[in-house]
Amino acid sequence: MTEPVHLQAFDGASEWLNIAPLDRPELRGRAVLVDFWTLTCINWLRAQPYVRAWSQAYRDDGLVVVGVHTPEFAFERDSGRVRQAVAAREIDYPVAVDNDYAVWQAFDNHYWPALYFLDAAGVVRDQHFGEGRYERSEQVLQRLLGVERALVSTHVESDGVEAEADWTHLRSPETYLGYARGENFASRGGIAFDEPRSYDLPAELRLNHWALAGEWTAERESVVLARAGGTLACRFHARDAHLVLSSGERGPVAFRVLVDGRSPGRSHGVDVDENGAGVLDEGRLYQLVRERGDVRERTLEITFAEPGAEAYAFTFG
């Protein structure tokens, strides 16, 4: 008997995590929740506590959760980094490594995160893109499983980078830094493509603009520091400020964060201390600021002690 098309879609996975090598999860006749993610996506990170809770709450009722890691940036294709993210997020359900976008294309997906709710026949009965709608999503799962009880979504707790955004005060969008999707670059003279150039910070940054100081190379996905001591700055309005970073093939790179020209103090993120000191030691999303006081416009500067730092995107919450 031929499997339904959406179960066949998983044949395109290049690797499976959290199951035996060369094996794949048994999905036939089971209700399945498919969660598309990429390890640096702040929206997925904030939704992950709910998916984790559903997997644990409904596993004995027959639910199978399948994570599908489809990379947004080239460095996310490293399955070792995906394994680190799986461990850090305490994901214990099967994860398909989808480096070739085969599963993504089979579902005709376009978003991170994306949830697809499959019934026992492998038919998609519902879908949701982005954060939110958690109680309704759990109700869909209960209908697929034929159970009815109190929702676990109402009791999910999260912190760190997984904490829900402060939507009331969030006025800064995701900002890409590579020239393929970058905008609002404010250093004088504009940005040079694929060649080292020295930049200076402007006297003032407008809200949601960013700039460089020192010698950097702008590539399609990122800006890469060519010489030690370079600074990346942005003007934002949000409780949280994050930055997707990688050190490429280099070892750890120390950095320091300033907020409005000072150490962040109590408003430091989980990846820096009160003095703003942090270390870039793996490719992932770094939380630089978690405002403990009034949320207002602030200028963030991050300076790297060594060359090789790759910066991909600011995200806010």
Side-chain angles (χ1 to χ4, degrees):
M1 179 178 178
T2 302
E3 287 187 315
V5 63
H6 286 103
L7 299 190
Q8 291 178 322
F10 295 107
D11 293 339
S14 59
E15 183 180 356
W16 285 93
L17 307 181
N18 285 344
I19 56 177
L22 305 180
D23 203 357
R24 54 169 282 177
E26 179 54 56
L27 305 177
R28 182 186 293 276
R30 309 285 294 274
V32 179
L33 174 63
V34 182
D35 175 28
F36 281 91
W37 62 287
T38 189
L39 65 92
T40 60
C41 177
I42 186 59
N43 308 101
W44 170 74
L45 286 163
R46 293 193 294 237
Q48 175 53 204
Y50 294 88
V51 177
R52 210 164 45 226
W54 297 333
S55 176
Q56 295 167 1
Y58 296 103
R59 184 171 300 166
D60 292 343
D61 298 297
L63 176 67
V64 178
V65 176
V66 177
V68 180
H69 184 272
T70 312
E72 180 175 14
F73 301 118
F75 77 85
E76 295 176 293
R77 294 177 178 274
D78 183 342
S79 62
R81 288 193 172 104
V82 181
R83 291 180 183 277
Q84 289 177 337
V86 166
R89 300 298 116 206
E90 299 181 345
I91 295 172
D92 61 359
Y93 47 80
V95 173
V97 178
D98 187 34
N99 281 347
D100 298 325
Y101 277 60
V103 184
W104 176 282
Q105 292 171 0
F107 276 83
D108 192 27
N109 185 49
H110 301 277
Y111 307 99
W112 299 277
L115 297 176
Y116 293 87
F117 302 77
L118 280 60
D119 65 15
V123 176
V124 175
R125 294 300 184 184
D126 195 17
Q127 58 192 32
H128 178 68
F129 309 123
E131 301 176 61
R133 208 200 73 159
Y134 301 117
E135 293 183 17
R136 179 180 166 187
S137 291
E138 186 176 353
Q139 290 167 349
V140 172
L141 292 175
Q142 289 193 356
R143 287 199 299 271
L144 292 176
L145 295 167
V147 301
E148 185 176 353
R149 57 175 179 262
L151 301 178
V152 299
S153 299
T154 59
H155 303 293
V156 169
E157 297 181 357
S158 55
D159 57 14
V161 295
E162 294 184 341
E164 184 178 6
D166 179 0
W167 300 109
T168 301
H169 299 103
L170 179 55
R171 299 177 190 169
S172 291
E174 183 172 20
T175 302
Y176 291 96
L177 306 179
Y179 62 74
R181 289 184 285 180
E183 56 185 4
N184 292 343
F185 182 65
S187 289
R188 186 176 59 183
I191 202 157
F193 294 174
D194 297 315
E195 63 179 31
R197 176 177 288 185
S198 293
Y199 298 93
D200 294 303
L201 298 182
E204 293 185 8
L205 273 175
R206 289 187 292 163
L207 179 63
N208 299 330
H209 284 63
W210 62 281
L212 298 170
E215 189 171 325
W216 295 77
T217 300
E219 300 182 351
R220 285 189 57 83
E221 291 188 340
S222 65
V223 290
V224 182
L225 182 60
R227 184 172 298 180
T231 296
L232 169 61
C234 74
R235 183 79 171 169
F236 72 99
H237 192 296
R239 182 195 66 197
D240 303 336
H242 315 98
L243 182 59
V244 177
L245 293 167
S246 175
S247 57
E249 301 302 318
R250 298 182 65 88
V253 177
F255 62 80
R256 188 178 183 208
V257 169
L258 298 178
V259 180
D260 292 339
R262 300 179 180 179
S263 299
R266 293 179 55 250
S267 295
H268 66 92
V270 296
D271 291 302
V272 300
D273 62 20
E274 292 187 352
N275 294 318
V279 176
L280 165 55
D281 54 3
E282 57 182 316
R284 60 179 175 87
L285 178 143
Y286 288 75
Q287 187 183 81
L288 306 179
V289 175
R290 164 62 61 83
E291 180 59 64
R292 264 64 177 191
D294 294 336
V295 177
R296 62 187 188 278
E297 281 192 31
R298 311 293 294 270
T299 297
L300 165 68
E301 297 178 20
I302 178 170
T303 300
F304 299 92
E306 301 291 339
E310 303 169 2
Y312 289 79
F314 284 108
T315 60
F316 304 96

